[in-house]
Amino acid sequence: MADDLTKYEQIAYDVRKKILSGLYKKNQQLPLERDMEIQYDVSRTTIKKAIDMLVQEGYVVKRRGAGTFVKEFNMDDLGDEATSPIQYRGFTEKHPDQAVSSDVLYFNIEQADEDIATKLNIKPREFVYHLVRVRKVNKAPVTFQRTFIPISLLMGLRFDNVVDSLYTFAEESGGVKIQSAHENISAVMPTEEEAKQLQIPQTLPLLQIESQVFLDTGQVFEYTISRYRSDKHTFHTVEMR
C-alpha cells in the first residue's frame, strides 16, 4: 500500500485531472474535506495535503469560511498537454546572480478592451495599467514584454516602480501575495519594433510566453505577453507520468 505522501499526490493528480477535463468547472466548489475523506478512504490530514498541493500549483483557492474553489482561469488556454506546475518566479528572480534592468517604453492607464478584460477576469472598460518593457540581463536585451494589471489591485503604481522588479514593489508596497501563473508557450516571428529593441534580425523566431499571474486570493493580478530571444533563453520543465 502507498504511504501518505504517494496517496496525497495521487489525490491531487485526480482532482487536477478533473479540473483540466472540465468536470470541475471554474469557481466550482470542491467537495468538502470530510466528503473527500470518504471518497478516497484516507485521513483528513492526507486530504489537506492534497488540497494544499493544488493551492500551491495554482489550480484552486481556499476561501475562509466557504471552502475550496477552482480558480477562475480559461481551461482552454491550458490545452491538452498541461504539465504539472513548478514554483513560479518573476523575471528578476530567475536571474538572481545577474544584473537585471528594464527599458520602459510605455506606461499608461487605459480602459481594458474585451480581450484584456477576459484575461484579467474584470469587466470591459475597467481601468488597467498598460506597460511595455524591454527586460535586460547584464545590459543585453532578452525579452520584449507587454503587461496589463487592474488598477484596483495595485493602487499608486508609478513609472519609477516598473523600472526595477514590479513584483517586489507589488508585494512589499502593494500588500499583495503573488502565488502562481498559468503560461502558454509558442514560437512567433518578431515585429519590426521587437527586432529593433531586442537587437536581432527580423528572421530570428522569438519564444512567446503568455502568462496569467494569480494572487493567493485567486484573483488575476497580471496578464503579460513576453517575447524572448530564442538565442538567449531556454525553457526548462519536468514532466512526470
Side-chain angles (χ1 to χ4, degrees), residues 8 21 25 41 43 57 63 86 111 131 214-215 225 230 237:
Y8 82 72
S21 69
K25 304 185 184 304
D41 191 24
S43 68
E57 290 179 347
R63 297 176 185 167
I86 58 176
Q111 290 179 305
L131 54 143
F214 292 84
L215 301 179
I225 300 172
S230 56
T237 185

Side-chain angles (χ1 to χ4, degrees), residues 23 29 61 77 87 138 145 147 169 189 193 210 215 220 227:
L23 184 61
Q29 184 177 6
V61 60
D77 286 345
Q87 183 180 9
N138 298 330
Q145 201 171 69
T147 298
F169 171 79
M189 299 305 295
E193 175 66 12
E210 187 179 5
L215 301 179
V220 183
R227 292 189 164 187

